[in-house]
Amino acid sequence: MKKIFKFAAVALILLSSLVSLGRITPVHAEGQTYEIGVAIYQYNDNFMTLFRNELEKYFKELGEKDGNTYNLEFQDGKNDQATQTEQLNNFIAQGKDLLIANLVDPTGADQIVLSAQSADIPVVLINREPSIETMELWPGKTTYVGVDARQSGVYQGEIIADLENHGDVNGDGVVKYIMIQGDAGNVDAEQRTKYSVETLDKTIKTEILGEPQRGNWDQAKGQEIAANALSQYGDDLEVIFSNNDGMALGAIQAINGAGRTVNKDIYIVGVDALPEVVELISKGEFTGTVLNDHFNQSHTAAEIAVKLLQGEEVAPYYWHDYVKATKAEDAELKRLDYREETIDQYKERLKTTYGE
Ligand code: BGC
């Protein structure tokens, strides 16, 4: 009788653990299908195309490894926040399991995070950094995966400062430059503009020709701005700072059109390390760029998304580094660890490293 009782007790424990396993396993087990809505600020952008393709590819790889299916629905925001907000609201209405958002205008991120929160849909923000206040809205379920734009600005300045003549082609002790900017209110545009020149200023005096001009990340606009500056300032123009490589490629067309020679009588720096720019660097026809590591950013975004899909709480920030690229090898892509940061740690770092 005692034996029978013992047997029954063991059976009961086994049964109950099977039941609880049954309750837990569906979340972590293989064979789950997850619906993910991905909102891209605009498809017509070389850098975000690299990012988007790598993200899609890596989710497939993850699914092959863990046996889950990650269904990604991509939407093109066409550089219009109203269009994108509608797309994100549709994702929420459809009951997606997770959102990945590359916002057109990150200053409006609060509404999107709050709508997602009311439907309990976690959000991974990429590429365009929102304000710290946005990241405080729904802790654990909202995260930003990216790179610190200040670092890219510093590297741009260092690339010119490290040249033998520090960019001072005519040797008059002052580097005269133009600044081609991304769109207004974009953290990358603001920080690259600020820190590139501040960094070069530590080595040599600088002087802007005209005002910074908005090329909105666009190659054709970059060409137009550079062509006008080249005809207006002629040989006085020694350095072109461009907030990204796309606009810098336009500037290169203008430089060629004006009969000037990069690395001889003019210098140019961009950000992103687009393949076309890396190719020009290896031919000595582009001064330098800064790798905006879409490879690691997209892989980390996908890995953090999987954690969120499995119900985990995540950190507000996951960072990768920019890489200074003055030769092709510098821009090689390889998987690297991310750095996690809390909001307090981030604030502290901004204070101690950048005095912000
Ligand atoms: C990239 C640009 C890109 C922009 C879009 C920046 O981080 O450097 O190339 O066009 O993001 O938001």
Side-chain angles (χ1 to χ4, degrees):
M1 184 66 188
K2 224 174 171 190
K3 246 192 190 159
I4 290 175
F5 185 73
K6 214 172 170 188
F7 176 78
V10 169
L12 205 73
I13 291 169
L14 266 178
L15 196 73
S16 68
S17 54
L18 271 180
V19 169
S20 66
L21 256 184
R23 230 180 288 134
I24 296 162
T25 16
V27 188
H28 294 280
E30 298 189 346
Q32 288 292 300
T33 298
Y34 296 110
E35 303 297 334
I36 302 171
V38 189
I40 300 293
Y41 100 96
Q42 112 166 300
Y43 281 9
N44 183 17
D45 179 298
N46 288 345
F47 173 73
M48 279 318 297
T49 303
L50 292 174
F51 198 126
R52 176 161 55 96
N53 292 342
E54 192 59 42
L55 187 71
E56 194 172 13
K57 194 170 133 222
Y58 191 58
F59 261 113
K60 267 203 202 103
E61 273 176 48
L62 285 179
E64 277 156 21
K65 265 193 240 151
D66 67 13
N68 292 322
T69 304
Y70 300 102
N71 282 336
L72 267 56
E73 183 183 338
F74 284 89
Q75 290 286 347
D76 176 2
K78 303 204 169 85
N79 205 17
D80 179 60
Q81 190 55 62
T83 304
Q84 192 183 50
T85 303
E86 204 180 307
Q87 294 166 345
L88 283 158
N89 285 337
N90 282 340
F91 283 156
I92 294 171
Q94 287 161 24
K96 296 279 188 212
D97 298 306
L98 180 119
L99 303 180
I100 297 182
N102 162 219
L103 296 176
V104 174
D105 176 9
T107 59
D110 288 17
Q111 210 34 59
I112 286 146
V113 169
L114 292 173
S115 309
Q117 182 185 22
S118 62
D120 202 24
I121 303 173
V123 188
V124 178
L125 295 155
I126 54 167
N127 175 247
R128 296 188 161 187
E129 188 186 336
S131 70
I132 291 181
E133 293 71 39
T134 302
M135 301 313 297
E136 285 170 328
L137 289 175
W138 193 23
K141 300 292 176 185
T142 320
T143 188
Y144 176 67
V145 179
V147 273
D148 182 348
R150 298 164 190 84
Q151 191 185 35
S152 56
V154 169
Y155 285 165
Q156 284 192 302
E158 286 178 2
I159 289 171
I160 301 299
D162 287 348
L163 296 169
E164 216 173 302
N165 62 4
H166 316 304
D168 183 14
V169 177
N170 59 21
D172 67 352
V174 185
V175 174
K176 300 208 178 64
Y177 69 93
I178 61 163
M179 179 68 68
I180 311 181
Q181 284 189 293
D183 58 338
N186 182 301
V187 176
D188 292 357
E190 280 166 20
Q191 309 290 27
R192 289 173 191 166
T193 298
K194 177 169 186 252
Y195 284 98
S196 55
V197 175
E198 269 188 28
T199 304
L200 182 56
D201 265 333
K202 290 181 187 155
T203 301
I204 189 165
K205 246 177 100 181
T206 62
E207 185 187 315
I208 189 163
L209 297 172
E211 296 288 321
Q213 291 186 66
R214 299 246 171 242
N216 294 339
W217 309 115
D218 181 68
Q219 178 162 346
K221 291 210 186 86
Q223 177 174 13
E224 195 187 308
I225 292 168
N228 287 340
L230 284 159
S231 75
Q232 189 175 351
Y233 305 114
D235 288 345
D236 278 350
L237 177 55
E238 295 165 299
V239 171
I240 297 183
F241 282 107
S242 176
N243 282 174
N244 81 342
D245 282 354
M247 298 184 291
L249 283 170
I252 288 283
Q253 292 170 289
I255 290 171
N256 294 339
R260 302 277 296 267
T261 311
V262 172
N263 288 347
K264 196 162 148 250
D265 58 42
I266 192 162
Y267 298 101
I268 181 162
V269 272
V271 176
D272 285 338
L274 294 180
E276 299 91 314
V277 165
V278 175
E279 171 86 31
L280 289 174
I281 289 178
S282 49
K283 291 197 280 184
E285 294 170 12
F286 198 102
T287 311
T289 186
V290 181
L291 170 67
N292 188 355
D293 190 344
H294 69 278
F295 183 82
N296 278 296
Q297 290 174 72
S298 58
H299 287 218
T300 298
E303 286 173 14
I304 302 310
V306 169
K307 284 181 194 284
L308 285 163
L309 288 167
Q310 293 179 346
E312 282 183 43
E313 301 238 317
V314 301
Y317 293 102
Y318 292 89
W319 298 110
H320 282 286
D321 278 318
Y322 280 102
V323 182
K324 218 189 292 183
T326 51
K327 42 186 192 327
E329 304 86 88
D330 297 336
E332 271 164 22
L333 304 171
K334 51 184 175 299
R335 185 69 176 127
L336 297 167
D337 282 345
Y338 49 73
R339 267 192 327 279
E340 238 180 87
E341 205 165 43
T342 64
I343 286 175
D344 285 347
Q345 285 166 336
Y346 185 32
K347 285 185 179 161
E348 188 55 33
R349 181 165 62 83
L350 292 187
K351 223 192 294 155
T352 51
T353 315
Y354 297 103
E356 281 186 9

